[in-house]
Every structure is written in C-alpha cells, then in structure tokens.
Amino acid sequence: MSVQDYLDKHMLSRKIEDAVNAAVRAKTSDPVLFISNHMKKAVSSVITRVKARQILDSRGIPTVEVDLYTNKGMFRASVPSGTPIGMYEAVELRDGDKGTYLGNGVTRAVRNVNEKISEALIGMDPTLQSQIDQVMIDLDKTEKKGELGANAILAVSIAACKAGAAEKEVPLYKHIADLSGQSNLFLPVPAFTVISGGKHAGNTLAAQEIMILPIGATRFEEALQMGAETYHHLKAVITEKYGAHGCHVGEDGGLAPNISREGLDLVKEAIGRTGYNEKIKIAIDVAATDFCIGAKYDLDFKSPNKSGQNFKSGEDMIEMYKELCNDYPIVSIEDPFDKEDWEHIRNFCGLGICQVVGDDLLMSNPKRIERARRESTCNALLLKVNQVGTVTEAIEVVKLAKDAHWGVVTSHRCGETEDSFLADLSVGLATGQIKAGAPCRGERLAKYNQLIRIEEELGDQAVYAGEDWRQS
C-alpha cells in the first residue's frame, strides 16, 4: 500500500488539516502540542487492558485493586470490605486458604479479573457504564456475584467509571451525575465518627459509633473544620476524665474510651467547647444486630462481668431511644434493631423522632429496600457500594430510596482503602450525607479531602447540603 493509499484509507489528510486549522484559529503558541491533543480527542477511547492485584485494606486484610487501561491512560480503583458479610449482600470472593492471610486472600478474585473479565471488556467504550456492568453480571451468572466475586466486579466497575469520566473530559462526580440523571449537585454533610464501639473497638460500648453532623456549616470546608476541632476537643475531654489511654481509636478512627452511655455526654461537652453548639448534631450507629439474642438486646454483650440485668426488649429499646433523643441533639439513628426485627424498626420510625437509617436491615439490596418502602420501616438508606457490586446498581438503589423520599447516606466500610471514589459518588448522586469515619486516618481523610477539592473546583456553583441534608 502506497503512502497516499494509506492516507486516503484512514482519511488522515482531512483529520490533520482539521487539526492544523484548529491550531491556527486558537492562535496557539505551541501548535505541535495543540495538534497532538486535538488528534487524541478525535479518537474514541476503548478499554485495552484490565489488570488486577491483591493489596491490603486499612485493617491489613487483602482486597482487590484494578488498573483499567484505555488509549487515554490508566485508571485505578480499589474496593473496600466489611465484616461480617450479610446474607443479602453481594459476595466477596476469598480464597479460604487458612495458611495465607488466615483465609482472607483474594487471589481467586484477582485471577477472575485478569483471565475472564478483562477478555470480556476489551474493546468496550468506557463511557457506557451500564453496558460494562451488565457484561460482568452476565459473565458471573449468579444472583449475588459469587462466581467472579463482587470485589472483582466492583473494582473493575469503579475503574471503568473513572475511565468514562476521563473520556468525556469531565470530573468524576459530573460523570456520575450524568449516569444517574442527577442535575443538582450537593456537597454532603459529613457524619464524622468521633467515638467507636460495638465490634469496631475494644471498649464496652454496645453501640458501634457515635457521630457528629455539622449541619450548621455553610460550606463543606467549614464542616470539615468543625468536625476536626470537635474531635480534638473530645480527645482533651476524654484525657481529662479517663487519661490518655482512653484516646485509643477504633477501626474507623473514632476514639474508644471504656464507656457506655456517658459517651454522649463526652461528645456533648466537646461540642460545647468548640462553641458551635446548635450547628452540630449527633447521630448513632447502634448496629443492634450484633447484640440481639432471640427477641432481646444485650447492652452488656462486651462486658467481661455481665450482670445479666441489661437485656432489653424491643419496647424497652424504643423507650431508650426516645429518652436519648430528648436528652441529646440526636437527629439520626442507624440500625436501632436487629436486621430481621421489622416490627420494632417500623414502630420506632413511625414516631418521626429522627432519621432511621437501614444498614444491616437493607444491605443496599433492592428487594429489602422495596419491602422497607412498602412497610414504612425506615426513612434512610445507608449506601454501601460493595453490597450491590457495581456502580450502575448503586445508582439504581439510590433512585429507589429517593423515590420514597428517604435520606441517603453514602458509606465507607470498616476495611477501607485510600481510593476517594466515595466522595465523587456522594456528590454525583447528591446523597446529602456521607459517612467516611473519623477526621483522622489516611483512608478516611482521602474521602473528606477529595470533597474539599470538589468544592473548590465547583467554586460559586458549590452547594453544601447543610440544613437540607435529608432533602438533597
């Protein structure tokens, strides 16, 4: 083939001429660079390679990281993991070899990406998120992604989402908003973990987390400052009352003094010391499934010397929550009852005292969400992307929640990575709330710091959810 034939076949003369004309119109001082970039934009991007590896999450437990390549570059994503795995959520594929990482290795999931998923996705347009996710779902063929592993599928899904944003030359949060049909973007109110308990800490506090929500801030940057200052004042309060050993932290970075209900008093005092007072509210993640025994709730389940006198019925728990909400500025309670205790959750939610968030209750499962909507069991969804397994399905469950006029909390997991995808997801889906742990520890701050960058990038268009944290 002659040079002229080659030029004609690929219409290169016309494309180069268009690029040169564009450079002339732009009056660029570097025409070679301009023409190079112009030509790159003229080429549609496709997935050329998908490579996975095993890395460690914030607990030192293996998880999956993926590098997805297009002719525009490489895009990396890593997935979080939680514990324990619920029966209604997508399956994390682990090796089960007790001699390696105590059975928690993910080399099977990594191999599935490298040998099966990669082959299926090569040549696909990274902007077509739903098609990419559907190819992986069809390849898996199981209801809960147990064949390939939700950890394998989600890592690829997130990496593809990042590649799609790059192809469209828009920020990741804007690409996610486009995928979901969301026109209004909001910076979410952060639910900072300040005290850890339950199975996330070695103290005797039954509830898993006490959080603060700076709903009175005017910008996310201010909310982050309020959260960090309160956290440090709380460290001082705890040190004064219990000594420095009381400032050990749990898995999410929350402080973990050996306390029970008095934790709310400590947080209230810390808020008072900041001077923010009414601008900061309190939320609790009870995680009651962890201490439900039959039809009773054992608030002493972590105490080495149980008295046997702190078992509460569902009705007792409702009365306790009513009292707490009356005594403290509590605006949100997550999983106040066991995941199968639909009756008491529904009765408590019906009181309209505060936001009632479904985590273990819902597990981001569409069928569970539909039932909760039908029975008015809760009024907020805790979105954990790895519980559904793809970006597309996460978008769909958020739509279900918003159609029911629920609040939505974009949530991390106890096993996190430094990937900041969650921040862009919360803005792109306008969830209004984000739960990413304490204002300390790198894997948690990766999300909060990314939100600072997004707010800066949006400039005058940035809107902090603030007082409208549930209506976004």
Side-chain angles (χ1 to χ4, degrees), residues 184-205:
N184 297 319
L185 303 180
F186 294 89
L187 275 298
V189 171
F192 295 113
T193 303
V194 289
I195 290 184
S196 294
K199 292 187 175 181
H200 286 188
N203 55 12
T204 55
L205 178 63

Side-chain angles (χ1 to χ4, degrees), residues 286 288 317-325 333 336-337 348:
V286 181
M317 295 290 280
I318 289 177
E319 291 303 312
M320 181 184 72
Y321 295 138
K322 288 167 63 177
E323 181 182 332
L324 291 176
C325 289
I333 298 181
F337 300 93
F348 178 60

Side-chain angles (χ1 to χ4, degrees), residues 15-25 35 38:
K15 292 176 181 176
I16 293 172
E17 183 180 348
D18 289 342
V20 171
N21 288 335
V24 171
R25 289 194 299 271
I35 291 169
H38 186 91

Side-chain angles (χ1 to χ4, degrees), residues 24-326:
V24 171
R25 289 194 299 271
K27 298 179 180 178
T28 176
S29 60
D30 190 339
V32 174
L33 179 60
F34 184 96
I35 291 169
S36 174
N37 290 332
H38 186 91
M39 295 294 286
K40 284 181 180 178
K41 292 177 182 179
V43 179
S44 296
S45 185
V46 296
I47 297 172
T48 58
R49 184 187 178 205
V50 185
K51 168 67 177 175
R53 66 180 62 85
Q54 177 175 271
I55 63 169
L56 298 185
D57 69 18
S58 59
R59 303 166 301 172
I61 295 175
T63 190
V64 180
E65 180 176 80
V66 160
D67 293 344
L68 183 144
Y69 295 80
T70 72
N71 43 344
K72 293 289 176 69
M74 184 273 283
F75 305 92
R76 177 169 292 162
S78 54
V79 295
S81 62
T83 183
I85 302 301
M87 67 179 72
Y88 301 105
E89 64 182 279
V91 174
E92 279 184 347
L93 186 62
R94 297 197 178 271
D95 299 341
D97 176 6
K98 297 298 183 181
T100 305
Y101 286 116
L102 308 179
N104 291 315
V106 291
T107 60
R108 292 167 60 202
V110 166
R111 189 163 56 248
N112 286 337
V113 173
N114 294 336
E115 297 179 1
K116 298 178 181 179
I117 294 176
S118 179
E119 181 180 349
L121 298 188
I122 287 176
M124 291 193 71
D125 182 343
T127 65
L128 302 179
Q129 185 72 42
S130 63
Q131 292 184 25
I132 290 169
D133 291 341
Q134 191 61 53
V135 165
M136 292 189 286
I137 291 169
D138 292 343
L139 188 64
D140 181 89
K141 297 186 177 68
T142 66
E143 182 180 358
K144 296 195 293 182
K145 303 175 179 66
E147 180 66 26
L148 298 177
N151 43 354
I153 291 173
L154 180 60
V156 176
S157 181
I158 293 174
C161 192
K162 294 179 180 181
E167 171 62 16
K168 290 164 59 178
E169 298 186 335
V170 299
L172 180 55
Y173 60 85
K174 179 63 169 62
H175 177 49
I176 293 170
D178 291 343
L179 293 173
S180 64
Q182 180 69 45
S183 56
N184 297 319
L185 303 180
F186 294 89
L187 275 298
V189 171
F192 295 113
T193 303
V194 289
I195 290 184
S196 294
K199 292 187 175 181
H200 286 188
N203 55 12
T204 55
L205 178 63
Q208 188 162 277
E209 293 171 275
I210 299 175
M211 296 165 280
I212 56 169
L213 283 69
I215 64 173
T218 56
R219 302 176 67 245
F220 181 84
E221 184 177 15
E222 181 187 4
L224 184 57
Q225 176 185 335
M226 292 166 71
E229 290 178 358
T230 304
Y231 183 82
H232 288 290
H233 276 292
L234 180 60
K235 287 178 73 173
V237 171
I238 292 172
T239 300
E240 292 166 11
K241 294 181 183 293
Y242 303 99
H245 65 274
C247 293
H248 296 158
V249 300
E251 289 184 343
D252 299 341
L255 301 165
N258 205 27
I259 44 85
S260 52
R261 173 172 169 169
E262 61 265 33
L264 289 166
D265 292 317
L266 298 174
V267 173
K268 190 174 180 181
E269 182 175 345
I271 293 172
R273 291 191 183 187
T274 66
Y276 295 125
N277 298 316
E278 296 302 315
K279 293 184 177 182
I280 296 179
K281 302 300 181 182
I282 295 176
I284 305 173
D285 176 6
V286 181
T289 297
D290 289 342
F291 54 88
C292 181
I293 302 174
K296 297 284 188 178
Y297 294 90
D298 180 12
L299 295 180
D300 279 341
F301 84 107
K302 296 171 65 179
S303 175
N305 301 308
K306 294 184 181 180
S307 65
Q309 298 176 3
N310 209 10
F311 283 86
K312 293 186 179 293
S313 67
E315 289 75 16
D316 293 335
M317 295 290 280
I318 289 177
E319 291 303 312
M320 181 184 72
Y321 295 138
K322 288 167 63 177
E323 181 182 332
L324 291 176
C325 289
N326 183 64

